[in-house]
Amino acid sequence: SAANLSTHSAHSAVSNSSQKSKASHQAPVANGPAAPQWSVSRRFLNFAYLSEPRGADSDEPLKPINTFPVSVQETLVIEDLLSVLIGIDAKYVHIRTTTERTSVQATADRSLDLSLADLVDRVLPLATYYVRVVRFVEMREHYEFGMVNHALCSALQELVREYLILVAQLETQFNEGRLTLQK
């Protein structure tokens, strides 16, 4: 009986400490529910992977893009741009957080043909803006930031959905061979 009592009190102390640690992970909210911890800790759900060094996808070294003909360079760059436009790092076009980790920068391979590089440089700000908007929405959509921020983030999420539909349509055109950088 005494052993049961000490086991019960030890179990109670452990559950109390685990409840306290769970409560410390969530910010106190006066008028709404708190976001679960996984919504900020999963790196692929919150663009945290952009700050990590990119590992090699295969054992083969990446050939410099200037070793390909211009038409092939354009195809490779369009494929990479479609990934970067939705926040995914690619082979010849990269998207990374800057040293402050508050800003995002998209860059293309420097050996790219100059005419293609100019067109790519015109498109790259879209990738940067997309990641910034999605990060803002992730950070400010919770109730603790107020109803105005919640409504703003909801409207921004609708715009992001439309943007992702546009990128999906561009990818369909690319797969059908009807997309060029000029379009």
Side-chain angles (χ1 to χ4, degrees):
S1 175
N4 270 345
L5 183 59
S6 66
T7 304
H8 176 69
S9 63
H11 177 69
S12 173
V14 169
S15 67
N16 285 343
S17 66
S18 69
Q19 287 174 353
K20 287 178 185 177
S21 67
K22 286 180 185 176
S24 67
H25 288 295
Q26 298 176 348
V29 179
N31 296 327
Q37 179 61 27
W38 61 262
S39 69
V40 293
S41 64
R42 287 194 171 167
R43 65 190 196 116
F44 288 111
L45 292 179
N46 61 16
F47 289 104
Y49 64 91
L50 293 177
S51 60
E52 297 174 358
R54 185 170 185 258
D57 291 339
S58 66
D59 295 335
E60 297 178 25
L62 191 62
K63 290 174 81 174
I65 198 164
N66 64 353
T67 61
F68 298 106
V70 174
S71 61
V72 174
Q73 286 184 31
E74 181 177 14
T75 303
L76 292 171
V77 166
I78 290 173
E79 187 177 8
D80 283 3
L81 277 175
L82 290 171
S83 295
V84 169
L85 285 175
I86 58 172
I88 300 172
D89 198 26
K91 295 177 184 175
Y92 297 105
V93 182
H94 304 286
I95 186 164
R96 291 276 181 245
T97 56
T98 59
T99 55
E100 309 89 50
R101 293 185 55 108
T102 57
S103 164
V104 177
Q105 182 179 19
T107 57
D109 191 327
R110 297 205 184 274
S111 66
L112 184 63
D113 181 69
L114 292 178
S115 61
L116 294 177
D118 183 51
L119 293 171
V120 168
D121 287 341
R122 292 181 187 183
V123 175
L124 285 180
L126 286 175
T128 303
Y129 301 150
Y130 168 76
V131 172
R132 286 180 183 172
V133 167
V134 170
R135 279 187 173 177
F136 176 84
V137 169
E138 287 175 352
M139 289 174 35
R140 305 291 180 166
E141 71 180 336
H142 307 294
Y143 289 106
E144 61 259 21
F145 293 104
M147 291 174 58
V148 172
N149 264 337
H150 186 70
L152 173 65
C153 290
S154 178
L156 287 173
Q157 283 177 333
E158 182 61 32
L159 291 173
V160 166
R161 264 188 232 105
E162 291 176 17
Y163 171 81
L164 292 173
I165 289 170
L166 172 67
V167 172
Q169 290 170 345
L170 291 173
E171 185 174 8
T172 300
Q173 288 180 4
F174 173 71
N175 290 336
E176 294 172 352
R178 297 185 295 133
L179 184 66
T180 64
L181 276 177
Q182 287 77 23
K183 286 185 180 180

